[in-house]
Amino acid sequence: RTGLAIIGVLLYLLLASRTQTSGPFSALQLRRFTSSGKATRAAISPDGKYVVHVLSDAGKQSLLVRQVTESNYVVIVPPADVIYRGLTFSRDGTHVYYIAQEQNHPKQKLFQVPVLGGTPRKILDDIDSPISLSPDNRQIAFVRRYRGQSKDALLIANVDGSQERELAVRQGPDFFLANGPAWSPDGRIIACPAGTNTGGRQMYVAEINVSDGKQKPLSAQRWSSVGRVAWFRINAGKSSGLIISATEQGSNLAQLWHL
């Protein structure tokens, strides 16, 4: 339910950013999108027309898509004894990427399915975060954790899973969070939740240069947790920053932040 509330906020911001000149939260409105009580993770298509979400029922999960302006759902992935997460639309809105984890199996797999249903296609066998697509829709970025090696890596691959390579690595006290990177609209950097255990556990958003893999914090802000991040995309491929779900030190309540 929390995930769907955030989706509602992001949908509002997507539409409001095209018409408002004042702050994005100046006239915020929310409405219920589902009423089953069984909806969990969700994502909005880039054009704001479709929402895909996970439905959990009787120990099984499925993926459903619905047009924002309609009330009927399409089941694009039928119920199965798996956990679905990391829902992401392609840049052109024609496909949905999702991560599937089988029961009692540590490694997760990335799949792609047409937005209105079809045969899912496996893209990757070992992935630990939602993906982010490059602006040209040709590459994906994701986090992989090397269990037992004290190593996390941000990787880039083609959209079919081929030619994957490590762009940036964090080891020892430094780590990447598996909540999902975000490729900037101009294609130059990837924002990724990260953290360190040096001087106490602290988390922030790191900026990784796509051309050389160099890393640096995007701001001096430190949180106790950071969720998935997303770029505001406005005209001419430019962005006004990131929206972040994060929790302040000493709190257990997540907030939405504009960075």
Side-chain angles (χ1 to χ4, degrees):
R1 295 176 184 175
T2 300
L4 291 178
I6 293 175
I7 287 297
V9 172
L10 294 178
L11 177 59
Y12 171 81
L13 294 177
L14 174 68
L15 300 176
S17 64
R18 300 173 183 173
T19 59
Q20 289 187 339
T21 56
S22 57
F25 295 100
S26 60
L28 182 63
Q29 294 181 347
L30 297 176
R31 66 180 176 88
R32 185 186 298 272
F33 193 76
T34 67
S35 58
S36 67
K38 301 174 182 178
T40 55
R41 302 172 178 91
I44 301 174
S45 63
D47 60 10
K49 294 181 179 179
Y50 292 94
V51 170
V52 58
H53 77 269
V54 177
L55 182 72
S56 297
D57 189 21
K60 295 186 177 182
Q61 294 193 346
S62 56
L63 294 185
L64 282 67
V65 164
R66 172 184 146 186
Q67 282 186 287
V68 170
T69 57
E70 303 295 332
S71 59
N72 296 327
Y73 292 93
V74 175
V75 179
I76 61 172
V77 180
D81 190 20
V82 298
I83 298 173
Y84 295 125
R85 54 172 61 93
L87 308 180
T88 306
F89 278 91
S90 60
R91 295 282 187 181
D92 58 11
T94 61
H95 290 83
V96 173
Y97 292 86
Y98 64 94
I99 294 171
Q101 183 176 15
E102 299 173 2
Q103 297 292 340
N104 302 317
H105 198 289
K107 288 191 176 181
Q108 304 174 92
K109 300 176 182 179
L110 177 68
F111 289 84
Q112 178 200 70
V113 65
V115 70
L116 293 180
T119 303
R121 183 164 66 100
K122 186 174 72 174
I123 305 297
L124 288 170
D125 271 313
D126 188 3
I127 184 171
D128 290 295
S129 79
I131 66 162
S132 181
L133 286 121
S134 60
D136 61 9
N137 210 46
R138 294 181 179 180
Q139 294 180 293
I140 57 175
F142 60 96
V143 170
R144 176 177 292 156
R145 290 193 154 159
Y146 296 88
R147 294 165 180 83
Q149 300 182 37
S150 187
K151 171 184 171 181
D152 298 332
L154 177 69
L155 291 90
I156 290 178
N158 294 333
V159 290
D160 62 1
S162 64
Q163 297 184 14
E164 67 173 50
R165 65 182 178 88
E166 292 183 355
L167 179 64
V169 172
R170 296 177 72 84
Q171 292 181 286
D174 301 322
F175 54 89
F176 283 121
L177 292 166
N179 293 327
W183 210 311
S184 65
D186 63 9
R188 298 170 60 185
I189 65 173
I190 296 172
C192 188
T196 182
N197 287 314
T198 303
R201 191 172 177 85
Q202 304 176 66
M203 301 183 195
Y204 52 91
V205 180
E207 168 189 319
I208 296 91
N209 191 301
V210 174
S211 65
D212 58 17
K214 290 183 178 179
Q215 309 175 41
K216 66 178 182 180
L218 266 171
S219 79
Q221 179 74 39
R222 296 293 184 269
W223 292 277
S224 64
S225 68
V226 177
R228 196 169 183 180
V229 299
W231 290 92
F232 281 110
R233 185 165 184 171
I234 54 179
N235 294 334
K238 297 180 181 179
S239 175
S240 63
L242 290 158
I243 188 165
I244 304 161
S245 173
T247 305
E248 290 182 281
Q249 300 285 349
S251 173
N252 58 2
L253 298 176
Q255 309 273 8
L256 290 180
W257 300 72
H258 179 218
L259 176 62

